[in-house]
Amino acid sequence: MNNFDSLFQDALTHHKAGRLDEAAGLYEAAIAVQPDHTDALCNLAALKSSQGMFDDAAGHYQQVLMLLPRDTATLTNYANMLVRKGTPEEAEAYYRRALESDPSSIATCAGLGQALLGMGRFNDAV
């Protein structure tokens, strides 16, 4: 196992066990070794989002989207984070981009619907 693989696996172990600070440090170390590893970047973004560190999370999601601009899961997860951050209007654009990539994504449709409901756009949500 190379250095990246070891760091990434250790990060996953800590992340699953709820040791988020340790996991974050290991994800960051893994990303330093392999900066374009989208799984490490997405996992770190999700971790930072769960800690309420939305600006840090957004930076990592944006890195992934530079590499995979049409990735439905990343677009949807980023939009979900934007809703939690309190910017559903911004999230709507990412949900719609995700639906352009995969119109049948149930998670994306549900997220967009919830965001629209939160903005009081009931007819659009339906």
Side-chain angles (χ1 to χ4, degrees):
M1 189 179 308
N2 68 32
N3 190 38
F4 171 83
D5 290 337
S6 176
L7 290 166
F8 186 65
Q9 290 305 313
D10 288 348
L12 289 172
T13 299
H14 284 287
H15 198 164
K16 289 176 185 175
R19 295 184 296 271
L20 302 184
D21 290 337
E22 293 89 343
L26 289 163
Y27 283 132
E28 289 167 353
I31 291 166
V33 173
Q34 198 169 328
D36 292 342
H37 194 277
T38 56
D39 288 341
L41 288 164
C42 282
N43 288 357
L44 182 58
L47 186 153
K48 295 290 186 177
S49 176
S50 74
Q51 294 179 315
M53 301 173 76
F54 299 123
D55 291 339
D56 288 346
H60 297 300
Y61 280 129
Q62 289 168 359
Q63 281 181 274
V64 174
L65 291 173
M66 289 180 72
L67 299 165
L68 303 170
R70 298 178 50 82
D71 185 68
T72 303
T74 302
L75 288 163
T76 301
N77 289 335
Y78 187 31
N80 291 340
M81 185 219 64
L82 291 169
V83 169
R84 285 192 306 277
K85 181 182 175 186
T87 57
E89 297 83 4
E90 186 179 358
E92 180 182 359
Y94 286 94
Y95 284 127
R96 293 200 184 278
R97 276 180 56 193
L99 287 172
E100 288 172 10
S101 294
D102 182 2
S104 64
S105 172
I106 293 170
T108 305
C109 288
L112 176 58
Q114 289 296 318
L116 293 170
L117 284 173
M119 291 186 279
R121 293 172 50 193
F122 305 110
N123 291 334
D124 292 336
V126 172

